[in-house]
Amino acid sequence: MTSNEKIGYTNPGYLNTMLGRLFSNLPGFAYRCIYDEYWTMEFMSAGCYSVTGYKPEEIILNNKSSYLELIYPQDRKKVRSNVEKGYSQNKQFSIEYRIRHKSGDIIWVWERGICITDEDENLTHIEGYVSDITARKENELELQERKKIYQDLVELSPDGIIIVDIKGRIYNVNKAFCDMSGYKSEDFIDKSIFKIPTMIRSKKVMYKSIVKAVFSGKKNNDIHFQFKDIKGNIKLAEARNSRIIIKGKMMIMGIIRDITDQDDERRLLINSKMKTEALLNASPDMMFVFDRNGKILDYKADPKNLFYRDRNLISMHISDILPKNIVSKTMRKINNTLDTGKMNELTYELDLPETGKKYFESRIVKSGHNQVTAIIRDITKRKNMELKLIEAKEDAEEGNRLKSAFLANMNHEIRTPMNAIMGFSSLLKNTEDKEKRDKYLDLLNTSSNYLLHLIDDVILYSRLQSEKISIEEKSIDLEILLDDLYRTVRDSEELKNLSLELTIPKECRKLNFLGDREKIWEVLNIFINNAMKYTDSGFVRIGAIKDEDMIRIYVQDSGCGIPEKDHKKVFQRFYRSSLVVENSINGTGLGLSIASELAKIMGAEIGFKSTLGEGSLFYIDLKYLRANDMKSEKAINNIEPLSISDMKVLVAEDDAPSILYLKEILRKMVKEIDHAPNGQVAVDMVKKNTYDCILMDVKMPVMDGIEATKLIKASYPKLPVIIQTAFTQAEDKKRAMNSGADAYISKPIDAKHLEELISSFLETSET
């Protein structure tokens, strides 16, 4: 086994750990908990915050709240019962239940887990995944409520209602339908309409002709027929029908009224008419009565929905209330209704002076000799909702397509360096040729760096989507920033044979402004990486322009350019140009979307100019905020390492591969190395020994590195402490430095960088 394998950089298990960190940033959260009374969490991924409102460390080991306290009290018994049932069957379970968010809101979650047992098959732990399903659950509950309302309306209707499928089989009937005949619902449901007990056999032919006419959909006039009740009495009924869709199938709904006692109906006619008029007056719909020529005979309308503002419209023409293009369509519908007796529908759009653009639906029915009634409904809200739904559907389809392409591309992007890492790791075992081993090691290092960069991109994008990222504005010297960027790119292997240019006009030299250096650097780095990736020959240029209240920093290249059809989608997540896909250029499609999100956070704007075949220019526009009262940053120069061979270093680290790696690289630098497996031991060892420098890991058992650093610095303020951790975000660095640490280095640790850091403390180190 080689030294690299011992360390873990070529070990597939190490890669799985990195991939675990990658997927822990996806929506929802993974967890591991002890099967006890409180569901004590031992691990929760970062997605815990977006689901519960709590940070993982607030719930892990019941620090501030146990997971049991989050579960809605009425659901706790159900959750435990479900887990125990899963354990007794196949050791797996899934369940939906409610939890109380930190904000106090009740949300729904879906959980899938697996039961972990000890050697005696006793349940000890649970591992699984939890995601927020509140939106879906609320939709389900809303649908159930609507269904109940619909059922109540049907059951409370005074008229009989019967629903029949296209084969004549009864799907449902309501209580009023049963009351008319005296039979129960089971005497009708799921039976042929020709075999129900109310059927009069001598009139079977008439029934069939009625049913045929109903299903043909040609007419919707009142239908009259006779039926027999449970006592054998023959009664007369009146019915109207309409087509409806239930579970994707077309059915006919009949509304039936018993009109046997016709005299009683006449006595109720006046009251019915009064009720009808009251309903019409209460209706929000407009109603117009027109003759064949379009003359207004009567109306009920709100003037704000019309072009004409006069109070009385009687005897005026339809052209006085509608524009010409809609008048011609309406007149054709009026004449067709009068000639055929059929109802006509018309949907149109109006741009009204007071209310703006509105949509209307008009239903025109024959209401007398040579006259029609148009019932006009304002459908603006519905229409706008439909348009938004169409737009949302198109966006969702495009998003799903891009997401699928992203996942497929990610699969390729991850497996490619993994293939190289695993392949060359195997080859290293079987070769003694130094030249080949060096070549294999270089390829392993390149593939590992690529995979690390890929993980950083995905984690950063995930954080930008799910967290509120803070801004740290400091004084920035524009010339130094661009010079540092230039020096970094100049030494990059990605530059290939391209010419790198730096353009800093006179007005941009010695210019200080306030900004977040790390985020600006990240945006420009994305621009530069893209420029080098898509430029085979020519130049990459870094430059700046100063306006009165704006600084534009740009990256220009002479590469392939971007097709015009792709311009609107360049900054969309997961999007990759058609030219990139065709030429099989590596990439995740996240870079520019990350740059766009970072710019929004800083209140900056990004954009680009590009011509296919002639190159591209990407820029970020930053507000120019003068920083006169702040000290300018110092230029970052290459530090020549001092001699550190006499130093004694304490390494506080609990991960075995990391300990081995640090000892290997430090053995060539310093005189003596001590090891502490956790923060508490490190504090104790500092009290008993003299050290020149401490390398302190953050995440350790018993006592973490942050707390240990605070205690050490309280007693030995001049003893240099370098925080070394796999947490790489700006907030992590800030937390580490707030503990009193003198420097911060992120994993994977570069030996040269570590040597430079330790050397910088040589002259001042003392306990």
Side-chain angles (χ1 to χ4, degrees), residues 494-550:
E494 307 292 331
L495 194 58
K496 300 171 287 190
N497 60 340
L498 300 176
S499 169
L500 181 65
E501 302 174 10
L502 177 61
T503 304
I504 307 178
K506 184 177 180 180
E507 64 271 17
C508 292
R509 297 184 183 276
K510 308 301 180 185
L511 183 66
N512 292 343
F513 68 100
L514 289 177
D516 191 317
R517 192 181 198 277
E518 288 189 8
K519 292 179 177 60
I520 296 171
W521 183 283
E522 182 67 28
V523 171
L524 296 175
N525 194 48
I526 291 170
F527 290 167
I528 292 170
N529 285 337
N530 279 356
M532 293 189 295
K533 186 184 297 183
Y534 305 134
T535 307
D536 292 327
S537 61
F539 68 87
V540 172
R541 181 179 298 128
I542 304 170
I545 300 172
K546 166 70 171 61
D547 200 350
E548 288 185 4
D549 57 354
M550 181 270 291

Side-chain angles (χ1 to χ4, degrees), residues 1 58 63 73 80 84 151-152 155 194 267 271 361 363 412 429 490 501 519 522 562 566 580 601 689 725:
M1 182 178 291
E58 293 179 310
N63 188 12
R80 188 168 295 278
E84 291 173 351
Q151 290 173 340
D152 290 343
E155 287 302 312
F194 303 114
R267 281 194 294 271
N271 289 333
E361 179 183 76
R363 293 187 176 188
H412 172 270
K429 294 180 181 180
R490 183 187 61 187
E501 302 174 10
K519 292 179 177 60
E522 182 67 28
I562 303 171
D566 295 334
V580 171
I601 291 171
N689 301 277
T725 178

Side-chain angles (χ1 to χ4, degrees), residues 3-21:
S3 61
N4 277 337
E5 288 173 317
K6 292 177 182 177
I7 295 167
Y9 282 91
T10 60
N11 189 316
Y14 177 75
L15 295 175
N16 289 336
T17 301
M18 289 196 294
L19 291 177
R21 291 198 299 270

Side-chain angles (χ1 to χ4, degrees), residues 436-486:
K436 283 187 177 181
R437 289 178 66 85
D438 289 344
K439 182 179 179 181
Y440 294 164
L441 288 171
D442 286 342
L443 290 170
L444 281 171
N445 187 52
T446 299
S447 297
S448 298
N449 286 335
Y450 180 80
L451 190 59
L452 182 63
H453 176 72
L454 184 68
I455 291 171
D456 285 343
D457 274 357
V458 175
I459 290 175
L460 176 56
Y461 179 78
S462 177
R463 291 187 71 238
L464 288 170
Q465 296 299 306
S466 61
E467 299 178 25
K468 184 176 181 180
I469 308 297
S470 61
I471 298 294
E472 293 188 17
E473 290 188 331
K474 296 180 180 179
S475 176
I476 300 175
D477 187 310
L478 179 60
E479 185 177 3
I480 292 175
L481 172 68
L482 297 182
D483 188 61
D484 288 344
L485 194 62
Y486 172 80

